[in-house]
Amino acid sequence: MRAAIFRNGEIVVDRMAEPTPGPGQVLVKTLACGICGSDLHARQHAHRMVEMARKTGRKPMDLSRDVVFGHEFCCEIVDYGPGTERKLRPGTRVCSLPALVTPQGIEGIGYSNDNIGGYAEAMLLSEPLLLEVPNGLAPEHAALTEPLAVGVHAVAKANIRGGEVPLVIGCGPVGLAVIAALKLKGLNPIVAADYSPARCALAARLGADIVVDPRVSQPYATWAEHAQMSEAEKAARPPFQAMLPALKPAIIFECVGVPGLLQQVFEGAPRDARVVVVGVCMETDKSEPMLAS
């Protein structure tokens, strides 16, 4: 089969053996696969990714061997391995958590020498993790399940209590997923910021109420304009809090993942803001924690 292979620091198209499904596994044909920002980071900072894997106790990639990226995929079932229930017939379109259940534990798909990702024509998935694509959804749309899940997960981890005014920094795929998840939560107004006009337009379509170009308007000042307390909320504050700016709670999602962004958030965030880091930064960064205390 053909695959786009990460080899010697480059992506090359070559042929490789088609995998054979083992116990509990399913052979699938890749229909669509997204190019994640993490894949771009991995190509540029593969050695850093190996270092991070070792530090977190995960099995690192061996960069002297081939790797096939791709963890945002929609596939079609081709065949089953032994010990499978075969509840879905061949030809069924599926997505999956990008992981394999193995006797050694959970192993990732896409950043592994052994577990081929969606940049190949075929790959293996674990049957218990399959998610059938509903309602004839197009494969290129179904492949967005994983990145959208990142936004849903980030919003879930934010422990939203109600009444917060969110600020989403960065409207790339992850930021857009966060905006969509916030919209589903019914939180508003949602303030978002990005330099790209195209991304800003998408942010508005996906549910952002106020979209800011940082070259034109300071995101934190714009957030404050839309986070003013009502007169009733002001009156209900304890005496000491009445001395502080009359702003609703802030929850900030950093969705860029480049050096310096966290420091900018610490410097610009309003008092008592909660910050959720969603963007993956593969480079060494520094910040001043005193500003975040």
Side-chain angles (χ1 to χ4, degrees):
M1 67 176 182
R2 284 160 56 83
I5 301 169
F6 181 61
R7 179 184 293 162
N8 298 324
E10 299 293 339
I11 302 292
V12 298
V13 177
D14 204 349
R15 302 198 71 86
M16 62 189 308
E18 184 176 286
T20 301
Q25 295 180 342
V26 183
L27 176 67
V28 295
K29 177 175 71 174
T30 305
L31 301 177
C33 185
I35 301 174
C36 180
S38 298
D39 296 335
L40 303 179
H41 282 304
R43 183 202 170 281
Q44 187 174 2
H45 304 287
H47 288 88
R48 288 287 295 151
M49 184 169 277
V50 168
E51 290 173 16
M52 291 299 103
R54 290 197 177 106
K55 286 183 179 180
T56 56
R58 300 178 182 179
K59 184 178 179 180
M61 297 180 288
D62 179 351
L63 300 181
S64 68
R65 298 168 54 204
D66 288 351
V67 180
V68 179
F69 295 157
H71 57 272
E72 303 174 354
F73 47 74
C74 174
C75 304
E76 180 181 293
I77 294 175
V78 175
D79 195 10
Y80 285 91
T84 48
E85 297 183 8
R86 304 174 183 243
K87 291 182 178 180
L88 301 175
R89 70 181 187 278
T92 301
R93 292 177 177 179
V94 294
C95 296
S96 172
L97 188 75
L100 285 178
V101 180
T102 76
Q104 293 75 39
I106 302 293
E107 295 184 3
I109 288 174
Y111 299 123
S112 164
N113 302 102
D114 304 313
N115 306 326
I116 296 168
Y119 291 4
E121 290 182 314
M123 58 190 296
L124 298 178
L125 299 176
S126 287
E127 185 184 41
L129 301 181
L130 296 183
L131 178 66
E132 183 177 3
V133 175
N135 307 322
L137 189 67
E140 58 268 27
H141 294 158
L144 295 173
T145 300
E146 196 277 343
L148 283 170
V150 172
V152 172
H153 177 70
V155 171
K157 295 290 283 185
N159 192 26
I160 292 170
R161 302 162 190 148
E164 297 98 331
V165 175
L167 171 60
V168 180
I169 305 294
C171 299
V174 168
L176 294 173
V178 168
I179 291 168
L182 289 168
K183 190 69 174 180
L184 288 173
K185 278 276 189 183
L187 211 62
N188 62 79
I190 300 169
V191 184
D194 200 289
Y195 288 101
S196 165
R199 288 182 171 185
C200 287
L202 282 172
R205 289 181 63 186
L206 281 170
D209 299 290
I210 302 97
V211 184
V212 180
D213 180 342
R215 289 169 296 204
V216 177
S217 179
Q218 213 275 353
Y220 302 98
T222 301
W223 174 89
E225 292 173 11
H226 296 275
Q228 298 292 323
M229 288 183 175
S230 67
E231 292 303 320
E233 289 169 327
K234 291 179 186 178
R237 293 188 297 170
F240 178 74
Q241 288 188 8
M243 301 171 62
L244 302 174
L247 299 173
K248 295 178 181 179
I251 183 162
I252 300 172
F253 294 87
E254 192 279 285
C255 302
V256 180
V258 298
L261 250 295
L262 271 180
Q263 178 68 15
Q264 289 182 28
V265 171
F266 292 163
E267 293 175 1
R271 182 186 179 92
D272 296 328
R274 300 204 312 280
V275 180
V276 181
V277 180
V278 196
V280 176
C281 183
M282 291 301 300
E283 301 173 71
T284 300
D285 196 6
K286 67 177 184 179
S287 59
E288 297 173 292
M290 181 66 181
L291 294 173
S293 62

